[in-house]
Amino acid sequence: MSDTLHAREKGNGRETLVLLHGFGGHWMDWYDIQPDLARDARVLAYDLPGHARSLDHPAAGSASGMAKAILADLDQRGIARVHVAGFSMGGAVATLMALRAPDRVASLTLLAPGGFGPDISEDRLKNLASPGSTDGLRAAVNALGAPGFDMPTKNIAALAATRSLPGQEAKLVEIVGKIAKDGKQGEIPRDSLATLAMPVTVVWGTDDPVLPFSQSEGLPESFQLVVLPGIGHMLPEEARKSVIHAIRTTMRRAT
């Protein structure tokens, strides 16, 4: 196993932004978002442990372990403080980073984050982990969005390339078994969230079939909630401009 994490880096601004993808994804989930944000900041788009070029990292499967791994990688890069944006499972990892090291996280933008409620579509994640074919992968990805969502072919091709890596599908199946059991996931307590003093924005689509929109209820008063009517779970693709705006706005609130 390797304890090295892969991240694609763009930009050289004064602030550093970390982008964390969702389960079964990779850094290219931010392909159409990172360049825009890199106009204002240094932006690191990670492959999370157990995914793509970070496939063999030992922290795969535990959101808490992944949070520690990202913080350790930032130490190795000599980066003391960052803004963090996380999608789905990456949102849970981002939140745990902020809870573990609040002095190191300047702001949080959470896109349909994991861990904010008990319910999760385990069957959809299993289909995403081991789709069986490129057509099956497309069907599994499209099932994560709102009705009628169709993931662009370039994104499917990139995901299919990662699925062809030796051990990738087996690792994703293993991770599903750790993060989702009987349609339930681990929860981050609301009272823990309330301790976060940095600017936090939560973005959620009302038609999310993976993590129900109802999990956006009861957030701490200091959190800003952005509601996207008619949007499903795949926020980076379904609502790219809204995602970019939310990240930028949240970062500005911290300065």
Side-chain angles (χ1 to χ4, degrees):
M1 281 194 172
S2 170
D3 61 359
T4 300
L5 286 175
H6 173 260
R8 185 214 197 193
E9 181 173 345
K10 289 187 73 69
N12 55 5
R14 182 173 58 88
E15 303 288 331
T16 300
L17 169 65
V18 166
L19 301 175
L20 304 177
H21 63 77
F23 170 78
H26 56 149
W27 74 261
M28 284 192 70
D29 290 1
W30 306 100
Y31 187 83
D32 293 325
I33 291 176
Q34 187 182 15
D36 198 325
L37 294 169
R39 293 184 300 168
D40 310 316
R42 177 186 183 185
V43 184
L44 299 172
Y46 276 91
D47 283 338
L48 286 171
H51 295 74
R53 295 186 189 181
S54 301
L55 173 59
D56 294 328
H57 195 284
S62 161
S64 178
M66 291 182 190
K68 294 177 186 177
I70 298 294
L71 289 168
D73 186 82
L74 292 171
D75 283 339
Q76 292 178 4
R77 295 172 186 267
I79 303 173
R81 196 162 184 260
V82 294
H83 302 266
V84 188
F87 164 56
S88 196
M89 183 180 73
V93 175
T95 304
L96 293 172
M97 286 175 61
L99 289 170
R100 182 174 183 81
D103 58 321
R104 300 191 61 186
V105 177
S107 74
L108 277 178
T109 308
L110 307 174
L111 314 175
F116 275 48
D119 296 327
I120 188 170
S121 181
E122 183 180 0
D123 289 343
R124 284 180 170 85
L125 295 187
K126 287 180 176 179
N127 291 338
L128 182 63
S130 185
S133 66
T134 299
D135 287 344
L137 179 60
R138 179 181 291 278
V141 172
N142 289 347
L144 307 181
F149 171 67
D150 188 20
M151 178 69 93
T153 297
K154 67 177 183 179
N155 299 64
I156 296 297
L159 283 173
T162 67
R163 291 298 188 280
S164 69
L165 295 172
Q168 179 65 91
E169 288 199 5
K171 178 60 67 174
L172 293 178
V173 170
E174 176 187 328
I175 293 173
V176 171
K178 293 180 178 180
I179 66 175
K181 296 179 181 179
D182 299 322
K184 302 297 180 182
Q185 63 174 336
E187 295 184 66
I188 302 171
R190 288 293 198 262
D191 57 356
S192 294
L193 296 178
T195 67
L196 297 175
M198 73 286 293
V200 182
T201 300
V202 177
V203 185
W204 224 304
T206 60
D207 289 6
D208 191 325
V210 181
L211 298 170
F213 173 68
S214 59
Q215 294 181 4
S216 66
E217 298 173 358
L219 296 175
E221 292 184 2
S222 61
F223 284 27
Q224 290 197 0
L225 175 63
V226 176
V227 178
L228 300 179
I231 299 298
H233 188 65
M234 299 301 288
L235 300 183
E237 291 80 24
E238 291 184 84
R240 178 175 57 85
K241 291 183 179 180
S242 295
V243 166
I244 292 172
H245 178 73
I247 294 172
R248 274 215 175 96
T249 300
T250 310
M251 290 177 67
R252 288 170 183 158
R253 288 169 52 206
T255 57

